[in-house]
């Protein structure tokens, strides 16, 4: 990868949501979750603690949701962001979207949540059915899919939680095309230190990989 | 038939350049029929890589469009050259690295893309060593 050595497989570019396939558990898949979301009139919440894969799951769902004919508008909220961006309500994307996705919904203040939900409940003119080539129009509410650390009163789509097995699979997958400098034993030792926060674990493993790579 | 691929080569096989020096080279496509190619983009750019937010900037950029009447023959080597800037210099830190590269993207029919990249060093900043 680089002019000096090799890329660190735990760098941001490789671990950010959407950079690699989401590892679903059991029989779940993007399609089954989208079917559940549709059954709930495109309303749902993904609940889980910090670093448990909520944003990664959203990144995996968005293409499937779009294949199901939804026009997605996605918002990512950061720590302390109590209000929606100033231009949000006037943006042309909002007018055409049929599913609003808010990553980090619990950041919003009460007024912003109320306003957002009122907007989504209000029937608007949009394409009927779920096929992208369908031209027929209907009025229906805008869908709302959010991630949060605790339930926010929407139908539950999924709960995310990291466990040791998932962490080991993830680490193995990340190093698939790289030198295996981080072992399963490393993951076993370090996973408990991060309280189930996969993001923090992967940052930690970045440092470990870097040290071992330079020592080689 | 083998998979389509991009090959990028620097003149003189150079991989370390001084600020203000000219970076020159060529790229070519293998196993890619001319009729497949809609456009080709070539960029000389830097990007950061590491634990934090990523950054990047394009230093030089060329786009060849078949729709503009430009003849795109993927089997023929295409040359590029640019004078490299004074900064930022390549950097091999522990938590952040700065890399320079030449990136070639071919936009194909049916929304397909072919991508190739070759890194080089700008400047001679030594790699950071981890403390024991």
């Amino acid at each position: 990868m680089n002019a000096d050595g090799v890329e660190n497989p735990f760098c941001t570019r490789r671990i950010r949501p959407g950079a690699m396939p989401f590892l679903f558990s059991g029989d779940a898949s993007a399609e089954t979750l989208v079917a559940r979301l549709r059954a709930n009139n495109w309303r749902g919440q993904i609940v889980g603690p910090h670093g448990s894969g909520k944003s990664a799951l959203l990144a995996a769902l968005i293409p499937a949701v779009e294949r199901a004919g939804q026009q997605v508008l996605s918002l990512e909220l950061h720590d302390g962001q109590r209000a929606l961006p100033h231009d949000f309500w006037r943006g042309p994307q909002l007018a055409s979207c049929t599913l609003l996705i808010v990553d980090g919904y619990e950041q919003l203040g009460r007024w912003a949540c109320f306003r957002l939900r009122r907007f989504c409940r209000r029937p608007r003119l949009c394409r009927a059915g779920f096929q992208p080539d369908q031209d027929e129009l209907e009025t229906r509410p805008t869908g709302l899919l959010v991630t949060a650390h605790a339930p926010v009163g929407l139908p539950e789509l999924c709960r995310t939680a990291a466990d040791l097995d998932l962490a080991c699979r993830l680490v193995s997958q990340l190093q698939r095309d790289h030198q295996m400098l981080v072992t399963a034993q490393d993951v076993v030792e370090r996973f408990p230190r991060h309280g189930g926060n996969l993001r923090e674990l992967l940052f930690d493993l970045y440092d470990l990989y870097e040290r071992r790579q330079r020592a080689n | 038939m083998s998979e389509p691929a991009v090959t990028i080569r620097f003149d003189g096989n150079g991989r370390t350049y001084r600020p203000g020096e000219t970076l020159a080279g060529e790229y070519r496509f293998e196993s890619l029929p001319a009729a497949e190619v809609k456009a080709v983009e070539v960029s000389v750019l830097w990007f950061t890589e590491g634990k934090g937010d990523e950054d990047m900037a394009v230093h030089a950029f060329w786009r060849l469009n078949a729709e503009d009447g430009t003849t795109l023959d993927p089997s023929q080597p295409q040359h590029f050259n640019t004078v490299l800037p004074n900064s930022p210099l390549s950097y091999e830190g522990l938590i952040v690295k700065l890399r320079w590269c030449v990136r070639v993207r071919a936009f194909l029919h049916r929304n397909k893309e072919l991508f190739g990249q070759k890194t080089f060093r700008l400047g001679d900043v030594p790699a950071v060593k981890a403390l024991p």
Side-chain angles (χ1 to χ4, degrees):
Chain A
M1 170 68 208
N2 65 53
D4 304 302
V6 290
E7 175 193 51
N8 187 318
F10 301 98
C11 68
T12 309
R13 188 175 68 80
R14 290 180 49 96
I15 67 169
R16 69 173 166 226
M20 61 178 173
F22 185 80
L23 300 176
F24 288 95
S25 58
D27 296 335
S29 68
E31 283 67 32
T32 58
L33 291 180
V34 168
R36 190 182 302 170
L37 187 63
R38 177 187 294 173
N40 289 329
N41 292 321
W42 300 102
R43 286 158 47 80
Q45 62 185 17
I46 297 169
V47 179
H50 280 291
S52 61
K54 299 185 296 296
S55 302
L57 175 56
L58 268 188
L61 288 180
I62 287 174
V65 160
E66 288 176 335
R67 280 197 298 275
Q70 295 297 299
Q71 299 281 322
V72 171
L73 175 57
S74 188
L75 283 176
E76 187 184 338
L77 304 177
H78 301 282
D79 282 351
Q81 194 172 338
R82 306 278 295 161
L84 291 160
H86 285 306
D87 56 354
F88 172 77
W89 297 106
R90 274 176 269 141
Q93 285 181 304
L94 183 64
S96 60
C97 96
T98 58
L99 176 64
L100 188 59
I101 294 181
V102 184
D103 190 8
Y105 181 79
E106 74 280 324
Q107 301 294 334
L108 289 175
R110 281 187 181 185
W111 168 242
C113 287
F114 169 76
R115 206 175 161 198
L116 195 62
R117 289 206 185 195
R118 189 180 59 181
F119 170 83
C120 289
R121 275 197 302 269
R122 196 182 302 150
R124 297 162 61 222
L125 195 63
C126 55
R127 201 169 48 223
F130 303 110
Q131 297 306 315
D133 55 353
Q134 281 185 276
D135 293 330
E136 211 173 308
L137 296 174
E138 65 174 6
T139 53
R140 67 175 171 89
T142 305
L144 179 62
L145 174 61
V146 306
T147 68
H149 295 135
V152 293
L154 288 166
E156 185 166 297
L157 184 65
C158 185
R159 268 188 191 259
T160 56
D163 58 27
L164 186 58
D165 176 58
L166 175 64
C168 287
R169 283 195 293 150
L170 199 57
V171 168
S172 169
Q173 183 169 314
L174 281 166
Q175 293 183 100
R176 199 165 45 193
D177 300 324
H178 292 69
Q179 200 180 353
M180 280 274 185
L181 296 181
V182 173
T183 64
Q185 187 56 36
D186 293 320
V187 181
V188 170
E189 284 169 15
R190 286 160 189 263
F191 182 76
R193 295 184 206 166
H194 300 288
N197 187 330
L198 278 179
R199 194 184 308 124
E200 291 298 326
L201 172 72
L202 295 175
F203 282 152
D204 187 6
L205 296 180
Y206 173 97
D207 294 333
L208 180 65
Y209 195 96
E210 200 68 21
R211 280 201 301 276
R212 289 184 177 166
Q213 190 181 27
R214 282 161 198 259
N216 279 350
Chain B
M1 188 173 160
S2 56
E3 285 288 302
V6 190
T7 306
I8 303 169
R9 191 185 63 76
F10 299 137
D11 288 353
N13 289 321
R15 297 192 82 189
T16 301
Y17 295 84
R18 291 187 303 276
E21 196 175 344
T22 298
L23 168 77
E26 65 180 32
Y27 63 90
R28 77 166 75 197
F29 297 95
E30 286 151 28
S31 309
L32 184 62
E36 281 283 300
V37 184
K38 288 199 296 187
V40 175
E41 287 181 357
V42 183
S43 320
V44 178
L45 59 95
W46 62 263
F47 61 93
T48 61
E49 183 184 289
K51 283 175 80 171
D53 289 343
E54 296 163 309
D55 204 357
M56 65 95 76
V58 176
H59 168 68
F61 178 80
W62 303 273
R63 182 179 169 97
L64 303 171
N65 254 327
E67 288 166 359
D68 297 343
T70 309
T71 307
L72 299 177
D73 183 353
S75 64
Q76 291 301 310
Q78 300 292 321
H79 294 267
F80 58 84
N81 72 77
T82 184
V83 176
L84 294 167
N86 290 331
S87 66
L89 301 180
S90 299
Y91 179 69
E92 190 74 13
L94 287 173
I95 60 169
V96 68
K97 304 164 204 310
L98 191 145
R99 307 197 193 288
W100 278 89
C101 72
V102 173
R103 190 174 283 175
V104 177
R105 292 169 75 187
F107 297 89
L108 313 178
H109 290 286
R110 296 186 298 278
N111 288 328
K112 288 185 179 172
E113 258 187 51
L114 184 60
F115 172 90
Q117 178 172 299
K118 190 174 176 78
T119 52
F120 62 92
R121 285 184 60 85
L122 177 62
D124 200 17
V125 178
V128 169
K129 289 192 171 71
L131 292 171

